[in-house]
Amino acid sequence: MKEQKRTLTREQVLALAEHIENAELQAHDIHKITNDYPDMTFADAYDIQWEIRRRKEARGNKIVGLKMGLTSWAKMAQMGVETPIYGFLADYFSVPDGGVVNTQELIHPKIEAEISFVTKAPLKGPGCHIGDVLAATDYVVPTVEVIDSRYENFKFDLISVVADNASSTRFITGGQMANVEDVDLKNFGVVVEKNGEVVDVGAGAAVLGHPASSVAMLANLLAERGEHIPAGSFIMTGGITAAITVEAGDNISVRYQGLGSVTCRFV
Ligand code: OOG
Ligand code: MG
């Protein structure tokens, strides 16, 4: 495990986790935490994220998956940051295909077109690579992520967004599952429609050259904390296009080449 520099005390980590999680649960925005803690490190930020995860589990929520974020140039450019990050998914984040997302529970939601992997064998870093991921993949499945930064105006730096669980809030899986051998994940096209109009298009290669690289990077990032990806994990690999702002009344439909579509409605 990598030696990691920390600047926050345990008390500060606990207090910041409570502060950020309350913003999520009460749907109100907050100042980015690095305003008050400018020396915070990645290790501090992941300590806060893991504490938010622990708080949810202690309350009886189940962790149902993991996500990578900021894995495409479109996303990195949109948010002005340049390193991928990870977060976790809690049970109540899941919305059925064709279902409804209540914007009153959220601050300023945006949607992203993603492809998710479900594993059938554990993946451990460091040194995890795309070949390990492809061999350990049970299937891939189309996914729309709803993100909702708890920071005002959706503006943040990497350290702040890591602490905020990578802006995670809701996700919708749908369309058809597929074996990795049956999809050309680099050339795999997605078409994002909002209220019947095409608002963005993209291809799988936008995600770190190949979406499976994103899963490998997740295993390698987790290894820095002595963690790994267990068999049976659901992993979202990151937005293929830039994120699209949504509001009550919007209908979203994302078409995935050969794998059907995922739809949801915002009320
Ligand atoms: C951070 C989360 C980004 C993705 O798929 O790139 C993310 C953010 O932009 O708020 O989920
Ligand atoms: Mg995402």
Side-chain angles (χ1 to χ4, degrees):
M1 242 190 293
K2 251 198 217 165
E3 186 59 49
Q4 295 181 311
K5 190 170 168 292
R6 288 179 165 82
T7 65
L8 300 180
T9 64
R10 190 69 200 145
E11 289 66 37
Q12 287 170 323
V13 168
L14 299 183
L16 286 165
E18 183 175 4
H19 175 62
I20 298 171
E21 203 210 7
N22 281 343
E24 179 225 319
L25 297 174
Q26 297 160 13
H28 65 74
D29 61 5
I30 54 176
H31 299 305
K32 75 181 160 54
I33 57 171
T34 46
N35 294 353
D36 293 327
Y37 299 93
D39 299 328
M40 268 183 66
T41 64
F42 273 106
D44 289 321
Y46 277 114
D47 285 348
I48 294 169
Q49 184 190 122
W50 279 84
E51 173 57 20
I52 294 174
R53 175 174 170 153
R54 193 204 60 76
R55 290 172 66 86
K56 292 195 189 303
E57 290 187 285
R59 225 180 274 124
N61 290 129
K62 295 266 179 295
I63 303 308
V64 299
L66 294 165
K67 68 170 266 186
M68 286 293 283
L70 307 171
T71 48
S72 69
W73 290 117
K75 281 290 309 180
M76 289 189 238
Q78 181 181 30
M79 304 320 295
V81 294
E82 44 202 31
T83 315
I85 58 175
Y86 68 85
F88 67 85
L89 306 171
D91 46 12
Y92 67 94
F93 294 3
S94 174
V95 174
D97 189 18
V100 163
V101 179
N102 183 355
T103 56
Q104 277 172 1
E105 295 168 0
L106 309 177
I107 305 162
H108 37 210
K110 299 183 187 182
I111 61 105
E112 299 177 321
E114 309 205 6
I115 181 91
S116 298
F117 283 58
V118 174
T119 59
K120 60 184 177 194
L123 282 166
K124 291 197 172 79
C128 180
H129 62 76
I130 187 166
D132 299 323
V133 174
L134 294 173
T137 300
D138 195 359
Y139 58 89
V140 294
V141 60
T143 307
V144 170
E145 178 173 25
V146 184
I147 52 171
D148 193 32
S149 176
R150 268 54 69 165
Y151 299 119
E152 52 188 357
N153 304 318
F154 226 113
K155 290 247 159 52
F156 47 69
D157 47 58
L158 268 178
I159 304 266
S160 295
V161 69
V162 164
D164 183 28
N165 190 27
S167 309
S168 305
T169 202
R170 298 287 183 272
F171 67 93
I172 304 116
T173 58
Q176 283 160 240
M177 304 180 289
N179 295 325
V180 271
E181 313 78 87
D182 297 334
V183 197
D184 175 0
L185 284 170
K186 262 175 177 297
N187 292 306
F188 177 67
V190 301
V191 178
V192 185
E193 293 179 1
K194 179 164 118 174
N195 304 324
E197 275 178 38
V198 174
V199 285
D200 216 336
V201 295
V207 174
L208 297 171
H210 188 299
S213 315
S214 173
V215 179
M217 186 177 275
L218 174 62
N220 293 330
L221 286 170
L222 288 172
E224 293 178 9
R225 298 183 68 100
E227 304 278 348
H228 72 284
I229 304 175
S233 295
F234 169 77
I235 302 151
M236 303 197 302
T237 54
I240 293 169
T241 65
I244 289 142
T245 302
V246 286
E247 54 187 31
D250 284 341
N251 284 295
I252 293 295
S253 174
V254 182
R255 286 193 273 143
Y256 293 83
Q257 189 174 5
L259 299 184
S261 56
V262 177
T263 64
C264 62
R265 192 158 52 88
F266 287 80
V267 297

